[in-house]
Amino acid sequence: MVKIGVLALQGAVSEHIRSIEACGVEAMIVKGKDDLTLVDGLILPGGESTTMRKLMDRHNMLTPLKEFATAGKPMFGTCAGLILLAQKIVGYDFSHIGVLNATVERNSFGRQVDSFETNLEVKDIATDFPAVFIRAPHIVEVESDIEILAMHEDKIVMVRQGHLLGCSFHPELTSDHRITAYFTEMVKESLAKRVAV
């Protein structure tokens, strides 16, 4: 039975749980490093990346999260979660988990009052996904192993790197579960490979 966790330090946790369960998969709230051993994939929700990093440090989660990713277990970062995954952040000389070979820029689409929704074409997923952008980052640069899945106004807003998925927007804030379903399939495929080995 596949189980997908949602990192519950801050952010839209319950909305991700609802979306995972809507895809017919068991969801679990992840609050500590021991919880990571119980899930096959992990979603890093939106929120405030600086606050989330402080909470990761407080709960000794940073190294276990890096180990989760380097073990090949799928991770999906949305909005602030994308910033946590990125290898480089514009204006900062450090990263957080730092496993996604991309450079991101925070708050690329304005402040909270500039939040908006738009329909996106997402490769292999949807031609009309209702994407909600709230103080969203965007991906400035990617390395050759990154597949670009979606753009908005010439900015990269969704990518995949093998078992890692990241997007600038909040798919969990809509009733459209196609992106969560896509990640669910990534987790199922990864688990099947690990079981086969």
Side-chain angles (χ1 to χ4, degrees):
M1 182 68 177
V2 172
K3 186 183 291 186
I4 296 178
V6 180
L7 186 65
L9 300 179
Q10 190 212 26
V13 176
S14 61
E15 291 86 350
H16 277 295
I17 294 287
R18 175 183 57 84
S19 190
I20 293 165
E21 291 175 344
C23 295
V25 174
E26 185 177 354
M28 177 180 166
I29 291 174
V30 172
K31 290 187 175 181
K33 57 186 179 180
D34 292 341
D35 294 337
L36 288 174
T37 64
L38 305 175
V39 297
D40 306 300
L42 183 70
I43 293 177
L44 307 173
E48 211 293 308
S49 59
T50 306
T51 301
M52 292 168 84
R53 172 58 189 269
K54 288 177 181 175
L55 290 168
M56 280 181 195
D57 290 342
R58 184 182 301 169
H59 295 284
N60 297 314
M61 289 285 286
L62 189 61
T63 297
L65 285 165
K66 288 182 179 182
E67 290 171 347
F68 189 94
T70 55
K73 292 186 175 183
M75 297 179 82
F76 177 21
T78 64
C79 197
L82 168 66
I83 296 168
L84 296 177
L85 283 181
Q87 191 177 70
K88 296 178 183 175
I89 305 164
V90 173
Y92 294 80
D93 57 4
F94 64 89
S95 63
H96 302 293
I97 301 170
V99 291
L100 183 71
N101 294 328
T103 301
V104 301
E105 185 170 352
R106 301 176 70 209
N107 300 332
S108 300
F109 296 97
R111 297 175 298 166
Q112 190 93 8
V113 295
D114 301 310
S115 301
F116 65 95
E117 184 174 327
T118 187
N119 283 342
L120 288 183
E121 181 174 350
V122 184
K123 184 180 178 184
D124 300 328
I125 299 174
T127 57
D128 58 347
F129 191 86
V132 178
F133 288 80
I134 303 172
R135 291 179 62 209
H138 88 284
I139 299 156
V140 177
E141 191 175 18
V142 297
E143 295 187 13
S144 59
D145 57 347
I146 295 252
E147 180 181 17
I148 296 171
L149 299 183
M151 307 273 295
H152 177 65
E153 295 180 345
D154 298 322
K155 292 180 177 179
I156 303 168
V157 295
M158 186 168 179
V159 296
R160 178 174 178 178
Q161 176 190 318
H163 65 292
L164 304 174
L165 191 66
C167 68
S168 301
F169 49 93
H170 290 268
E172 78 284 0
L173 296 183
T174 75
S175 58
D176 190 325
H177 303 295
R178 286 178 288 179
I179 287 178
T180 304
Y182 179 85
F183 180 65
T184 297
E185 288 305 310
M186 286 174 56
V187 176
K188 288 178 179 176
E189 291 167 12
S190 173
L191 182 61
K193 287 177 184 174
R194 293 201 301 275
V195 170
V197 172

